Amino acid sequence: MFPYQKVHELNRLELIVYKYIIGHTKEVQNMTIREMADAAHVSTTTILRFLKKMEYSGFSEFKFALKQSLKQPAKSQQDPSMEPIKNFFQLVADEEPFDNKVNQAADMINASDLVLFFGVGNSGRIAQYGASILSSYGIYALPIIDPFQPEPFSDRDFSKTLLILVSISGETDQVLEQARYYKKNGAETIALTANSYSILNQITDFSISYDTPQNRKGHINVTTQVPIVYTMEQISNCAYHKMVDHIDNRFTEHVTD
């Protein structure tokens, strides 16, 4: 219903509307625009602006399209939580911006002497996987295991270090602290998040984000990280091939000389 490329261009308030609809599809089909505005804590004007960007003429047309999509046979009806993932992979397949971001991240990796990965909770385990996959390509990478590790008393020179921070929300205190500390001491920083408007995205040097509703079970954030895992694998593969191509070119130049 919502082209991912258009979703990626939404402002912060419009993104709230998108996430609310994706997370409350069945409820929205029976809501008035005022009820939805109150539930999502936005104005009706924001909702209409969002729908216009999604190429709907108004709330009535959108609700008709939503009800039609929910009337599909049960076997073909897709879990609403899958839509952000489906849209993410459509973007990967159809658009250049993702490839450009992967290439830029790979260049940052290859310009570093050491790559560090950091995350908390489930994101911490994903960060460990990121360090593992990059190491398997022969690139020096390590995870920071302890999110409560204190900062060193004296300053360090991290000018040849790259810190990759994995965070669904991009708002976790420990992640923000690590980003600020390493950046203050000269490191380059990359954020991998599910929230384009997070604080982490604002304070890091570079970010790759996909936007999806937060999925929580109590205090635990179980939002899908499939797009982040895929992104890390693509970045690692790209960095490896760039590194190999660079070595081959240097060898060819040496032989020619």
Side-chain angles (χ1 to χ4, degrees), residues 176-238:
L176 297 175
E177 288 171 7
Q178 292 286 339
R180 292 185 178 109
Y181 170 73
Y182 278 90
K183 192 172 173 61
K184 180 183 70 174
N185 287 282
E188 292 283 297
T189 51
I190 295 177
L192 301 178
T193 77
N195 183 2
S196 296
Y197 291 93
S198 69
I199 296 174
L200 186 63
N201 284 44
Q202 297 172 33
I203 66 175
T204 49
D205 299 297
F206 184 65
S207 64
I208 301 179
S209 301
Y210 72 102
D211 291 294
T212 188
Q214 300 287 301
N215 184 8
R216 290 185 174 274
K217 304 298 181 184
H219 67 283
I220 302 173
N221 195 329
V222 292
T223 304
T224 179
Q225 297 206 38
V226 169
I228 288 181
V229 171
Y230 178 82
T231 299
M232 288 194 304
E233 291 178 346
Q234 293 302 301
I235 291 171
S236 299
N237 183 60
C238 182

Short mmCIF file of all heavy atoms in Angstrom, two decimals, residues 176-238:
data_model
loop_
_atom_site.label_atom_id
_atom_site.label_comp_id
_atom_site.label_asym_id
_atom_site.label_seq_id
_atom_site.Cartn_x
_atom_site.Cartn_y
_atom_site.Cartn_z
N LEU A 176 24.13 5.69 22.66
CA LEU A 176 24.43 7.11 22.44
C LEU A 176 25.73 7.50 23.14
O LEU A 176 26.53 8.27 22.60
CB LEU A 176 23.27 7.97 22.94
CG LEU A 176 21.92 7.78 22.22
CD1 LEU A 176 20.85 8.61 22.89
CD2 LEU A 176 22.03 8.13 20.75
N GLU A 177 25.94 6.95 24.34
CA GLU A 177 27.18 7.26 25.08
C GLU A 177 28.41 6.76 24.32
O GLU A 177 29.42 7.46 24.22
CB GLU A 177 27.12 6.62 26.47
CG GLU A 177 26.15 7.32 27.42
CD GLU A 177 25.95 6.54 28.72
OE1 GLU A 177 26.69 5.53 28.90
OE2 GLU A 177 25.09 6.92 29.51
N GLN A 178 28.33 5.54 23.80
CA GLN A 178 29.45 4.98 23.04
C GLN A 178 29.71 5.82 21.79
O GLN A 178 30.87 6.11 21.44
CB GLN A 178 29.17 3.53 22.65
CG GLN A 178 29.13 2.56 23.81
CD GLN A 178 30.50 2.24 24.37
OE1 GLN A 178 31.52 2.42 23.70
NE2 GLN A 178 30.54 1.76 25.60
N ALA A 179 28.64 6.20 21.10
CA ALA A 179 28.78 7.00 19.88
C ALA A 179 29.49 8.32 20.19
O ALA A 179 30.42 8.72 19.47
CB ALA A 179 27.42 7.26 19.25
N ARG A 180 29.07 8.98 21.24
CA ARG A 180 29.65 10.29 21.59
C ARG A 180 31.12 10.14 22.02
O ARG A 180 31.96 10.95 21.64
CB ARG A 180 28.84 10.94 22.70
CG ARG A 180 27.44 11.38 22.25
CD ARG A 180 26.72 12.14 23.36
NE ARG A 180 25.40 12.60 22.93
CZ ARG A 180 24.25 12.10 23.36
NH1 ARG A 180 24.26 11.13 24.26
NH2 ARG A 180 23.09 12.57 22.93
N TYR A 181 31.41 9.10 22.81
CA TYR A 181 32.78 8.91 23.30
C TYR A 181 33.75 8.65 22.15
O TYR A 181 34.79 9.31 22.04
CB TYR A 181 32.84 7.76 24.30
CG TYR A 181 34.26 7.37 24.64
CD1 TYR A 181 35.03 8.19 25.46
CD2 TYR A 181 34.83 6.22 24.12
CE1 TYR A 181 36.34 7.86 25.76
CE2 TYR A 181 36.14 5.89 24.41
CZ TYR A 181 36.90 6.71 25.23
OH TYR A 181 38.20 6.39 25.50
N TYR A 182 33.41 7.71 21.28
CA TYR A 182 34.33 7.38 20.19
C TYR A 182 34.45 8.53 19.19
O TYR A 182 35.53 8.81 18.67
CB TYR A 182 33.89 6.09 19.49
CG TYR A 182 34.34 4.86 20.23
CD1 TYR A 182 33.55 4.28 21.21
CD2 TYR A 182 35.58 4.29 19.96
CE1 TYR A 182 33.98 3.15 21.91
CE2 TYR A 182 36.02 3.17 20.64
CZ TYR A 182 35.22 2.61 21.61
OH TYR A 182 35.67 1.51 22.30
N LYS A 183 33.34 9.19 18.94
CA LYS A 183 33.37 10.32 18.00
C LYS A 183 34.22 11.45 18.56
O LYS A 183 35.00 12.08 17.83
CB LYS A 183 31.94 10.79 17.74
CG LYS A 183 31.80 11.77 16.57
CD LYS A 183 30.34 12.01 16.27
CE LYS A 183 30.17 13.11 15.24
NZ LYS A 183 30.81 12.78 13.96
N LYS A 184 34.11 11.71 19.87
CA LYS A 184 34.90 12.76 20.51
C LYS A 184 36.39 12.48 20.39
O LYS A 184 37.21 13.39 20.31
CB LYS A 184 34.51 12.85 22.00
CG LYS A 184 35.27 13.91 22.78
CD LYS A 184 34.88 13.90 24.25
CE LYS A 184 35.40 12.63 24.93
NZ LYS A 184 35.15 12.65 26.40
N ASN A 185 36.75 11.19 20.36
CA ASN A 185 38.16 10.80 20.29
C ASN A 185 38.61 10.42 18.88
O ASN A 185 39.59 9.70 18.71
CB ASN A 185 38.42 9.65 21.26
CG ASN A 185 38.42 10.13 22.71
OD1 ASN A 185 39.38 10.71 23.19
ND2 ASN A 185 37.31 9.89 23.41
N GLY A 186 37.88 10.90 17.88
CA GLY A 186 38.35 10.84 16.50
C GLY A 186 37.82 9.73 15.64
O GLY A 186 38.15 9.66 14.45
N ALA A 187 37.01 8.82 16.18
CA ALA A 187 36.52 7.69 15.39
C ALA A 187 35.44 8.14 14.41
O ALA A 187 34.70 9.09 14.66
CB ALA A 187 35.96 6.61 16.30
N GLU A 188 35.34 7.43 13.28
CA GLU A 188 34.20 7.56 12.38
C GLU A 188 33.08 6.69 12.93
O GLU A 188 33.33 5.65 13.57
CB GLU A 188 34.58 7.10 10.97
CG GLU A 188 35.58 8.00 10.26
CD GLU A 188 34.92 9.26 9.74
OE1 GLU A 188 34.03 9.16 8.87
OE2 GLU A 188 35.28 10.34 10.21
N THR A 189 31.83 7.07 12.71
CA THR A 189 30.71 6.32 13.27
C THR A 189 29.62 6.09 12.23
O THR A 189 29.32 6.97 11.42
CB THR A 189 30.10 7.05 14.48
OG1 THR A 189 29.80 8.41 14.12
CG2 THR A 189 31.05 7.05 15.66
N ILE A 190 29.05 4.89 12.27
CA ILE A 190 27.92 4.52 11.39
C ILE A 190 26.79 4.02 12.27
O ILE A 190 27.00 3.21 13.18
CB ILE A 190 28.32 3.42 10.39
CG1 ILE A 190 29.38 3.93 9.41
CG2 ILE A 190 27.09 2.93 9.62
CD1 ILE A 190 29.86 2.86 8.42
N ALA A 191 25.57 4.46 12.01
CA ALA A 191 24.38 3.98 12.72
C ALA A 191 23.57 3.08 11.80
O ALA A 191 23.31 3.43 10.64
CB ALA A 191 23.52 5.16 13.18
N LEU A 192 23.16 1.91 12.31
CA LEU A 192 22.22 1.03 11.63
C LEU A 192 20.98 0.96 12.50
O LEU A 192 21.01 0.36 13.58
CB LEU A 192 22.82 -0.37 11.43
CG LEU A 192 24.12 -0.45 10.62
CD1 LEU A 192 24.62 -1.89 10.56
CD2 LEU A 192 23.95 0.12 9.23
N THR A 193 19.89 1.60 12.07
CA THR A 193 18.71 1.72 12.92
C THR A 193 17.42 1.45 12.14
O THR A 193 17.42 1.37 10.92
CB THR A 193 18.59 3.13 13.53
OG1 THR A 193 18.11 4.04 12.53
CG2 THR A 193 19.92 3.63 14.06
N ALA A 194 16.33 1.34 12.92
CA ALA A 194 15.00 1.22 12.33
C ALA A 194 14.22 2.52 12.51
O ALA A 194 13.00 2.52 12.51
CB ALA A 194 14.24 0.06 12.96
N ASN A 195 14.95 3.62 12.67
CA ASN A 195 14.30 4.89 12.96
C ASN A 195 15.11 6.04 12.35
O ASN A 195 16.11 6.47 12.91
CB ASN A 195 14.17 5.08 14.47
CG ASN A 195 13.43 6.35 14.85
OD1 ASN A 195 12.97 7.10 14.00
ND2 ASN A 195 13.33 6.59 16.15
N SER A 196 14.67 6.54 11.21
CA SER A 196 15.42 7.57 10.49
C SER A 196 15.60 8.85 11.29
O SER A 196 16.55 9.60 11.06
CB SER A 196 14.71 7.91 9.17
OG SER A 196 14.69 6.81 8.31
N TYR A 197 14.68 9.13 12.22
CA TYR A 197 14.72 10.39 12.96
C TYR A 197 15.25 10.22 14.38
O TYR A 197 14.97 11.03 15.26
CB TYR A 197 13.33 11.04 12.96
CG TYR A 197 12.92 11.52 11.59
CD1 TYR A 197 12.18 10.71 10.74
CD2 TYR A 197 13.33 12.77 11.13
CE1 TYR A 197 11.83 11.15 9.47
CE2 TYR A 197 12.98 13.20 9.86
CZ TYR A 197 12.23 12.39 9.04
OH TYR A 197 11.88 12.81 7.78
N SER A 198 16.02 9.17 14.61
CA SER A 198 16.56 8.92 15.95
C SER A 198 17.69 9.88 16.28
O SER A 198 18.31 10.48 15.40
CB SER A 198 17.06 7.48 16.05
OG SER A 198 18.22 7.32 15.25
N ILE A 199 17.98 10.00 17.56
CA ILE A 199 19.12 10.81 18.01
C ILE A 199 20.42 10.24 17.47
O ILE A 199 21.32 10.97 17.05
CB ILE A 199 19.16 10.86 19.55
CG1 ILE A 199 17.92 11.56 20.10
CG2 ILE A 199 20.42 11.58 20.04
CD1 ILE A 199 17.80 11.52 21.61
N LEU A 200 20.51 8.90 17.45
CA LEU A 200 21.73 8.25 16.97
C LEU A 200 22.04 8.65 15.53
O LEU A 200 23.19 8.93 15.18
CB LEU A 200 21.60 6.73 17.08
CG LEU A 200 22.85 5.93 16.74
CD1 LEU A 200 23.98 6.25 17.71
CD2 LEU A 200 22.55 4.42 16.77
N ASN A 201 21.02 8.69 14.70
CA ASN A 201 21.23 9.10 13.31
C ASN A 201 21.77 10.52 13.21
O ASN A 201 22.54 10.84 12.31
CB ASN A 201 19.91 9.02 12.53
CG ASN A 201 19.53 7.60 12.18
OD1 ASN A 201 19.63 6.71 13.01
ND2 ASN A 201 19.09 7.37 10.97
N GLN A 202 21.37 11.36 14.15
CA GLN A 202 21.76 12.77 14.11
C GLN A 202 23.20 12.98 14.57
O GLN A 202 23.85 13.94 14.13
CB GLN A 202 20.81 13.59 14.98
CG GLN A 202 19.37 13.59 14.50
CD GLN A 202 18.43 14.25 15.49
OE1 GLN A 202 18.79 15.18 16.20
NE2 GLN A 202 17.19 13.76 15.56
N ILE A 203 23.71 12.12 15.45
CA ILE A 203 25.05 12.38 16.01
C ILE A 203 26.15 11.55 15.35
O ILE A 203 27.33 11.81 15.60
CB ILE A 203 25.08 12.15 17.54
CG1 ILE A 203 24.84 10.67 17.88
CG2 ILE A 203 24.06 13.03 18.24
CD1 ILE A 203 24.98 10.36 19.37
N THR A 204 25.78 10.57 14.53
CA THR A 204 26.81 9.76 13.86
C THR A 204 27.17 10.39 12.51
O THR A 204 26.46 11.24 11.98
CB THR A 204 26.32 8.32 13.65
OG1 THR A 204 25.01 8.32 13.06
CG2 THR A 204 26.28 7.56 14.96
N ASP A 205 28.29 9.93 11.95
CA ASP A 205 28.77 10.48 10.68
C ASP A 205 27.96 9.99 9.50
O ASP A 205 27.84 10.68 8.48
CB ASP A 205 30.25 10.09 10.47
CG ASP A 205 31.14 10.65 11.55
OD1 ASP A 205 31.23 11.89 11.66
OD2 ASP A 205 31.74 9.86 12.31
N PHE A 206 27.39 8.79 9.62
CA PHE A 206 26.69 8.18 8.50
C PHE A 206 25.66 7.21 9.05
O PHE A 206 25.87 6.63 10.12
CB PHE A 206 27.70 7.44 7.61
CG PHE A 206 27.12 6.84 6.37
CD1 PHE A 206 26.59 7.64 5.37
CD2 PHE A 206 27.10 5.46 6.20
CE1 PHE A 206 26.06 7.08 4.22
CE2 PHE A 206 26.56 4.89 5.05
CZ PHE A 206 26.04 5.69 4.06
N SER A 207 24.54 7.04 8.36
CA SER A 207 23.51 6.13 8.87
C SER A 207 22.80 5.43 7.72
O SER A 207 22.68 5.96 6.61
CB SER A 207 22.49 6.88 9.72
OG SER A 207 21.79 7.83 8.93
N ILE A 208 22.35 4.22 8.01
CA ILE A 208 21.47 3.47 7.11
C ILE A 208 20.28 3.02 7.95
O ILE A 208 20.46 2.35 8.97
CB ILE A 208 22.18 2.25 6.49
CG1 ILE A 208 23.42 2.68 5.71
CG2 ILE A 208 21.22 1.49 5.58
CD1 ILE A 208 24.19 1.52 5.08
N SER A 209 19.08 3.40 7.55
CA SER A 209 17.89 3.12 8.35
C SER A 209 16.78 2.53 7.50
O SER A 209 16.66 2.82 6.31
CB SER A 209 17.38 4.40 9.02
OG SER A 209 18.38 4.97 9.84
N TYR A 210 15.98 1.71 8.15
CA TYR A 210 14.69 1.32 7.58
C TYR A 210 13.67 1.67 8.65
O TYR A 210 13.97 1.65 9.85
CB TYR A 210 14.66 -0.17 7.23
CG TYR A 210 14.61 -1.09 8.42
CD1 TYR A 210 13.43 -1.70 8.81
CD2 TYR A 210 15.76 -1.35 9.17
CE1 TYR A 210 13.37 -2.54 9.91
CE2 TYR A 210 15.71 -2.20 10.27
CZ TYR A 210 14.52 -2.79 10.63
OH TYR A 210 14.47 -3.62 11.71
N ASP A 211 12.46 2.00 8.25
CA ASP A 211 11.47 2.48 9.20
C ASP A 211 10.32 1.49 9.33
O ASP A 211 9.70 1.11 8.34
CB ASP A 211 10.93 3.84 8.76
CG ASP A 211 11.99 4.92 8.88
OD1 ASP A 211 12.38 5.22 10.02
OD2 ASP A 211 12.45 5.43 7.85
N THR A 212 10.08 1.08 10.55
CA THR A 212 9.03 0.10 10.83
C THR A 212 8.47 0.35 12.22
O THR A 212 9.18 0.90 13.07
CB THR A 212 9.59 -1.33 10.72
OG1 THR A 212 8.54 -2.28 10.81
CG2 THR A 212 10.61 -1.61 11.82
N PRO A 213 7.22 -0.04 12.50
CA PRO A 213 6.68 0.14 13.84
C PRO A 213 7.48 -0.66 14.86
O PRO A 213 7.97 -1.75 14.56
CB PRO A 213 5.25 -0.41 13.72
CG PRO A 213 4.96 -0.42 12.27
CD PRO A 213 6.24 -0.62 11.57
N GLN A 214 7.62 -0.11 16.07
CA GLN A 214 8.28 -0.83 17.14
C GLN A 214 7.37 -1.96 17.62
O GLN A 214 6.17 -1.78 17.82
CB GLN A 214 8.58 0.11 18.30
CG GLN A 214 9.49 1.27 17.92
CD GLN A 214 10.93 0.84 17.71
OE1 GLN A 214 11.54 0.30 18.60
NE2 GLN A 214 11.46 1.11 16.53
N ASN A 215 7.95 -3.15 17.78
CA ASN A 215 7.20 -4.31 18.25
C ASN A 215 7.77 -4.71 19.61
O ASN A 215 8.89 -5.20 19.71
CB ASN A 215 7.34 -5.46 17.25
CG ASN A 215 6.51 -6.68 17.64
OD1 ASN A 215 5.71 -6.62 18.59
ND2 ASN A 215 6.71 -7.77 16.94
N ARG A 216 6.99 -4.47 20.67
CA ARG A 216 7.47 -4.74 22.02
C ARG A 216 6.62 -5.80 22.71
O ARG A 216 5.41 -5.83 22.56
CB ARG A 216 7.46 -3.45 22.86
CG ARG A 216 8.51 -2.44 22.42
CD ARG A 216 8.55 -1.23 23.35
NE ARG A 216 9.63 -0.34 23.00
CZ ARG A 216 10.88 -0.46 23.45
NH1 ARG A 216 11.18 -1.45 24.27
NH2 ARG A 216 11.81 0.39 23.10
N LYS A 217 7.30 -6.67 23.45
CA LYS A 217 6.66 -7.64 24.33
C LYS A 217 7.06 -7.26 25.75
O LYS A 217 8.14 -7.61 26.22
CB LYS A 217 7.11 -9.06 24.00
CG LYS A 217 6.88 -9.48 22.55
CD LYS A 217 5.40 -9.47 22.18
CE LYS A 217 5.21 -9.92 20.72
NZ LYS A 217 3.80 -9.83 20.30
N GLY A 218 6.21 -6.48 26.42
CA GLY A 218 6.58 -5.92 27.71
C GLY A 218 7.67 -4.88 27.51
O GLY A 218 7.52 -3.97 26.70
N HIS A 219 8.78 -5.04 28.21
CA HIS A 219 9.89 -4.08 28.09
C HIS A 219 10.90 -4.52 27.03
O HIS A 219 11.89 -3.83 26.80
CB HIS A 219 10.60 -3.92 29.43
CG HIS A 219 11.33 -5.15 29.88
ND1 HIS A 219 10.68 -6.25 30.42
CD2 HIS A 219 12.66 -5.48 29.84
CE1 HIS A 219 11.57 -7.18 30.71
NE2 HIS A 219 12.77 -6.75 30.37
N ILE A 220 10.63 -5.66 26.38
CA ILE A 220 11.59 -6.19 25.39
C ILE A 220 11.19 -5.74 23.99
O ILE A 220 10.04 -5.88 23.57
CB ILE A 220 11.64 -7.73 25.44
CG1 ILE A 220 12.02 -8.21 26.84
CG2 ILE A 220 12.62 -8.27 24.41
CD1 ILE A 220 11.93 -9.70 27.02
N ASN A 221 12.16 -5.20 23.26
CA ASN A 221 11.94 -4.76 21.89
C ASN A 221 12.25 -5.91 20.94
O ASN A 221 13.40 -6.34 20.84
CB ASN A 221 12.83 -3.55 21.57
CG ASN A 221 12.39 -2.84 20.30
OD1 ASN A 221 11.86 -3.46 19.38
ND2 ASN A 221 12.62 -1.53 20.24
N VAL A 222 11.22 -6.45 20.27
CA VAL A 222 11.42 -7.58 19.37
C VAL A 222 11.13 -7.19 17.92
O VAL A 222 10.76 -8.03 17.10
CB VAL A 222 10.54 -8.79 19.79
CG1 VAL A 222 11.01 -9.36 21.11
CG2 VAL A 222 9.05 -8.40 19.87
N THR A 223 11.31 -5.92 17.62
CA THR A 223 11.15 -5.45 16.24
C THR A 223 12.11 -6.20 15.32
O THR A 223 13.26 -6.45 15.69
CB THR A 223 11.43 -3.94 16.14
OG1 THR A 223 10.58 -3.27 17.06
CG2 THR A 223 11.19 -3.42 14.74
N THR A 224 11.66 -6.57 14.14
CA THR A 224 12.50 -7.33 13.23
C THR A 224 13.80 -6.60 12.91
O THR A 224 13.82 -5.38 12.73
CB THR A 224 11.76 -7.63 11.91
OG1 THR A 224 12.65 -8.38 11.05
CG2 THR A 224 11.34 -6.36 11.19
N GLN A 225 14.88 -7.36 12.85
CA GLN A 225 16.17 -6.80 12.45
C GLN A 225 16.68 -7.46 11.17
O GLN A 225 17.86 -7.38 10.84
CB GLN A 225 17.19 -6.97 13.58
CG GLN A 225 16.80 -6.21 14.84
CD GLN A 225 17.98 -5.83 15.71
OE1 GLN A 225 19.04 -5.49 15.22
NE2 GLN A 225 17.79 -5.87 17.01
N VAL A 226 15.76 -8.10 10.45
CA VAL A 226 16.13 -8.72 9.17
C VAL A 226 16.78 -7.71 8.22
O VAL A 226 17.83 -8.01 7.63
CB VAL A 226 14.90 -9.39 8.51
CG1 VAL A 226 15.20 -9.80 7.07
CG2 VAL A 226 14.45 -10.60 9.32
N PRO A 227 16.21 -6.50 8.05
CA PRO A 227 16.87 -5.55 7.15
C PRO A 227 18.27 -5.16 7.60
O PRO A 227 19.17 -4.98 6.76
CB PRO A 227 15.92 -4.33 7.17
CG PRO A 227 14.59 -4.91 7.49
CD PRO A 227 14.89 -5.99 8.49
N ILE A 228 18.50 -5.04 8.92
CA ILE A 228 19.83 -4.67 9.41
C ILE A 228 20.82 -5.80 9.17
O ILE A 228 21.96 -5.57 8.77
CB ILE A 228 19.77 -4.28 10.90
CG1 ILE A 228 19.06 -2.93 11.05
CG2 ILE A 228 21.16 -4.21 11.50
CD1 ILE A 228 18.97 -2.42 12.47
N VAL A 229 20.39 -7.05 9.40
CA VAL A 229 21.28 -8.19 9.14
C VAL A 229 21.65 -8.24 7.66
O VAL A 229 22.83 -8.41 7.31
CB VAL A 229 20.60 -9.51 9.57
CG1 VAL A 229 21.41 -10.71 9.10
CG2 VAL A 229 20.42 -9.55 11.09
N TYR A 230 20.65 -8.09 6.81
CA TYR A 230 20.91 -8.10 5.37
C TYR A 230 21.87 -6.97 4.98
O TYR A 230 22.81 -7.16 4.19
CB TYR A 230 19.60 -7.96 4.60
CG TYR A 230 19.79 -7.90 3.10
CD1 TYR A 230 19.95 -9.07 2.35
CD2 TYR A 230 19.81 -6.68 2.43
CE1 TYR A 230 20.13 -9.01 0.98
CE2 TYR A 230 19.99 -6.61 1.06
CZ TYR A 230 20.14 -7.79 0.34
OH TYR A 230 20.32 -7.73 -1.02
N THR A 231 21.64 -5.79 5.55
CA THR A 231 22.48 -4.63 5.25
C THR A 231 23.92 -4.89 5.66
O THR A 231 24.86 -4.60 4.91
CB THR A 231 21.94 -3.38 5.95
OG1 THR A 231 20.62 -3.10 5.48
CG2 THR A 231 22.83 -2.17 5.68
N MET A 232 24.13 -5.45 6.85
CA MET A 232 25.49 -5.75 7.30
C MET A 232 26.18 -6.76 6.39
O MET A 232 27.37 -6.64 6.09
CB MET A 232 25.47 -6.26 8.74
CG MET A 232 25.16 -5.19 9.77
SD MET A 232 25.53 -5.67 11.49
CE MET A 232 24.58 -7.17 11.65
N GLU A 233 25.44 -7.74 5.95
CA GLU A 233 26.02 -8.75 5.06
C GLU A 233 26.42 -8.13 3.71
O GLU A 233 27.49 -8.44 3.17
CB GLU A 233 25.04 -9.90 4.86
CG GLU A 233 24.83 -10.74 6.10
CD GLU A 233 23.82 -11.85 5.92
OE1 GLU A 233 23.08 -11.82 4.91
OE2 GLU A 233 23.76 -12.75 6.79
N GLN A 234 25.58 -7.23 3.21
CA GLN A 234 25.90 -6.57 1.94
C GLN A 234 27.11 -5.64 2.09
O GLN A 234 27.97 -5.60 1.21
CB GLN A 234 24.68 -5.78 1.45
CG GLN A 234 23.50 -6.64 1.04
CD GLN A 234 23.87 -7.63 -0.06
OE1 GLN A 234 24.31 -7.24 -1.14
NE2 GLN A 234 23.71 -8.91 0.21
N ILE A 235 27.17 -4.92 3.19
CA ILE A 235 28.31 -4.03 3.43
C ILE A 235 29.60 -4.83 3.54
O ILE A 235 30.63 -4.47 2.96
CB ILE A 235 28.08 -3.20 4.72
CG1 ILE A 235 26.95 -2.19 4.51
CG2 ILE A 235 29.36 -2.47 5.12
CD1 ILE A 235 26.52 -1.49 5.79
N SER A 236 29.57 -5.95 4.27
CA SER A 236 30.76 -6.78 4.45
C SER A 236 31.23 -7.34 3.12
O SER A 236 32.44 -7.32 2.81
CB SER A 236 30.45 -7.93 5.42
OG SER A 236 30.07 -7.44 6.69
N ASN A 237 30.30 -7.83 2.33
CA ASN A 237 30.65 -8.39 1.02
C ASN A 237 31.24 -7.31 0.11
O ASN A 237 32.24 -7.54 -0.59
CB ASN A 237 29.40 -9.00 0.38
CG ASN A 237 29.69 -9.65 -0.96
OD1 ASN A 237 30.49 -10.58 -1.05
ND2 ASN A 237 29.05 -9.16 -2.00
N CYS A 238 30.64 -6.13 0.14
CA CYS A 238 31.11 -5.02 -0.69
C CYS A 238 32.51 -4.58 -0.26
O CYS A 238 33.39 -4.35 -1.09
CB CYS A 238 30.13 -3.86 -0.61
SG CYS A 238 30.55 -2.43 -1.64
#
